Amino acid sequence: MISAQINGFHVRSFDALTTHELYEILRARADVFVGEEKILYPDADGLDYKSLHVFCTDPTGKVTAYLRMFLKEDEPGTVQMGRVLTRVHGTGAGRKLLNAGIQAARECLDAREIYVESQKHAEGFYAKAGFEVTSEDFIEAGIPHVQMRLML
């Protein structure tokens, strides 16, 4: 069980999440991906159980920034990061979240590399943190994506 704090972000394995935290995480994912971005996808994909959840909350407990990561199958030392979201745009929360996620991957999962499937419009966001494109564009849930990797 992992439960830590990194730069103001909660870092928790699934079994360390409270029911309130889990509910707020799922609510944030639905609000952003389904509500804001109009993406219809199977969010309950079973990967949350093996994921490390990195998030921050406002004073009421509402999740304001979130990502999850897990060890990538068949790639020892590689962590796959996804479900990256912020509800407070233009505040730098996304950059802080990504930095906390990278640090958590190093410290909690002993990662040597991070893999993401970025929405094409977010490619620059990841590139600023050092991620490099490693694939051609592809469509996921009706949205152009690209694979990116960061060597740690």
Side-chain angles (χ1 to χ4, degrees):
M1 181 167 16
I2 297 171
S3 182
Q5 288 280 327
I6 295 179
N7 299 329
F9 285 82
H10 303 286
V11 179
R12 305 218 200 297
S13 54
F14 185 83
D15 55 348
L17 292 169
T18 67
T19 54
H20 182 83
E21 289 170 337
L22 177 59
Y23 179 84
E24 290 301 325
I25 287 167
L26 295 174
R27 188 169 108 170
R29 289 175 10 185
D31 286 353
V32 171
F33 297 120
V34 178
E36 288 180 20
E37 296 184 2
K38 309 295 186 224
I39 303 170
L40 298 178
Y41 71 106
D43 187 38
D45 58 6
L47 295 173
D48 289 315
Y49 293 117
K50 69 177 190 175
S51 293
L52 197 59
H53 303 269
V54 179
F55 61 99
C56 65
T57 57
D58 69 12
T60 69
K62 182 177 179 179
V63 170
T64 57
Y66 170 83
L67 65 78
R68 75 173 183 190
M69 66 181 99
F70 51 88
L71 294 171
K72 193 165 173 20
E73 289 186 27
D74 303 322
E75 289 190 40
T78 299
V79 166
Q80 183 166 344
M81 187 181 285
R83 302 289 199 271
V84 180
L85 67 87
T86 62
R87 286 174 146 170
V88 286
H89 306 290
T91 65
R95 178 75 41 230
K96 291 174 187 171
L97 170 68
L98 187 57
N99 289 339
I102 291 167
Q103 188 173 344
R106 280 188 185 115
E107 293 178 12
C108 301
L109 299 176
D110 199 29
R112 293 186 307 271
E113 181 178 40
I114 299 175
Y115 167 86
V116 297
E117 293 181 353
S118 169
Q119 291 182 12
K120 186 70 175 160
H121 73 84
E123 181 181 332
F125 169 74
Y126 292 103
K128 286 179 185 174
F131 284 81
E132 295 180 1
V133 174
T134 59
S135 76
E136 298 294 323
D137 294 0
F138 64 95
I139 302 296
E140 172 115 6
I143 297 171
H145 280 70
V146 65
Q147 295 174 358
M148 300 183 79
R149 291 181 182 262
L150 173 68
M151 298 301 296
L152 301 177

